[in-house]
């Protein structure tokens, strides 16, 4: 609780799609030669390559989105372990985290849950992955400090031996 995490969400996969479905490009006229659902012009003669801004067919959906530094407000237990898992010290009303009628497009929450500040970008809630942030992690700071001390010791040992010192800097 009150820690920062990174959230990785994945959107629903929709397979390989053409430019009209994927990018919303207007279809060509009925009499156009060799297909209607295409981009009319993919660029000028020079530069002799397709620019990245030009709509192309390809994978639609199943894109990963990572949002960093999301604050954890609350971590709750499953309904079978704690039926009144939404009670706090300030609000002593006996209630669960699921509202009356369930969450829209999801239903009831029966498993362990995490309440996070902001929006978690994902089609399916099971595809969310929570990673503890390493930017402010205390363990990472200790490891960095120990590595720095170890490096300084190694440099001191090399400096004492003249032959190793010359080899190291050549």
């Amino acid at each position: 609780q009150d820690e920062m995490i990174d959230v990785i969400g994945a959107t629903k996969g929709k397979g390989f799609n053409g430019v009209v479905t994927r990018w919303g490009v207007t279809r060509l006229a009925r009499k156009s030669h060799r297909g209607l659902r295409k981009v009319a012009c993919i660029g000028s003669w020079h530069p002799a390559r397709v620019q990245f801004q030009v709509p192309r067919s390809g994978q639609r959906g199943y894109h990963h989105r990572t949002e960093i530094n999301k604050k954890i407000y609350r971590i709750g237990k499953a309904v079978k372990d704690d039926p009144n898992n939404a009670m706090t010290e300030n609000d002593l009303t006996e209630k669960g985290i699921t509202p009356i009628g369930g969450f829209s497009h999801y239903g009831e929450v029966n498993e362990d849950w995490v309440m996070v500040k902001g929006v978690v970008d994902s089609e399916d809630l099971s595809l969310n992955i929570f990673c503890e942030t390493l930017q402010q992690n205390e363990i990472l700071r200790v490891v960095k400090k120990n590595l720095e001390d170890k490096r300084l010791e190694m440099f001191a040992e090399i400096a004492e031996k003249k032959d190793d010192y010359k080899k190291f800097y050549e």
Side-chain angles (χ1 to χ4, degrees):
Q1 206 166 354
D2 296 330
E3 286 188 22
M4 303 296 265
I5 58 170
D6 295 343
V7 179
I8 303 170
T11 59
K12 194 183 293 183
K14 295 175 176 76
F16 193 91
N17 288 112
V19 289
V20 174
T21 305
R22 192 173 185 218
W23 298 106
V25 174
T26 309
R27 291 177 54 217
L28 297 177
R30 180 183 60 82
K31 288 184 165 183
S32 64
H33 187 55
R34 293 194 184 118
L36 306 174
R37 300 176 66 86
K38 297 177 175 233
V39 177
C41 177
I42 61 168
S44 58
W45 192 287
H46 287 291
R49 59 193 157 280
V50 179
Q51 300 287 313
F52 77 92
Q53 300 98 328
V54 176
R56 306 294 274 167
S57 58
Q59 174 69 32
R60 184 165 157 249
Y62 202 67
H63 301 298
H64 292 251
R65 303 281 185 265
T66 304
E67 295 193 36
I68 60 171
N69 292 338
K70 293 273 189 188
K71 185 177 181 180
I72 296 177
Y73 281 149
R74 187 107 188 268
I75 299 172
K77 296 282 184 196
V79 174
K80 64 181 180 213
D81 297 337
D82 184 14
N84 300 322
N85 55 11
M87 287 177 51
T88 61
E89 291 121 21
N90 299 329
D91 183 13
L92 298 176
T93 310
E94 293 184 2
K95 59 185 174 183
I97 193 67
T98 307
I100 296 170
F103 286 101
S104 61
H105 305 291
Y106 183 74
E108 295 186 7
V109 178
N110 296 322
E111 301 299 319
D112 295 347
W113 51 270
V114 178
M115 189 181 292
V116 181
K117 179 180 182 179
V119 177
V120 176
D121 182 31
S122 181
E123 293 280 331
D124 188 358
L125 293 177
S126 63
L127 288 174
N128 293 327
I129 303 165
F130 297 104
C131 307
E132 186 178 340
T133 53
L134 295 175
Q135 289 96 354
Q136 296 105 12
N137 197 335
E138 186 63 35
I139 297 167
L140 193 67
R141 266 191 243 133
V142 171
V143 168
K144 281 182 181 176
K145 185 179 180 301
N146 290 345
L147 280 172
E148 188 68 30
D149 293 343
K150 196 65 118 173
R151 270 192 237 125
L152 291 172
E153 286 176 22
M154 288 176 63
F155 285 136
E157 288 174 17
I158 290 171
E160 290 172 4
K161 301 173 186 169
K162 297 288 184 190
D163 296 335
D164 291 345
Y165 184 80
K166 286 181 182 176
K167 276 186 196 175
F168 185 77
Y169 285 103
E170 285 180 356

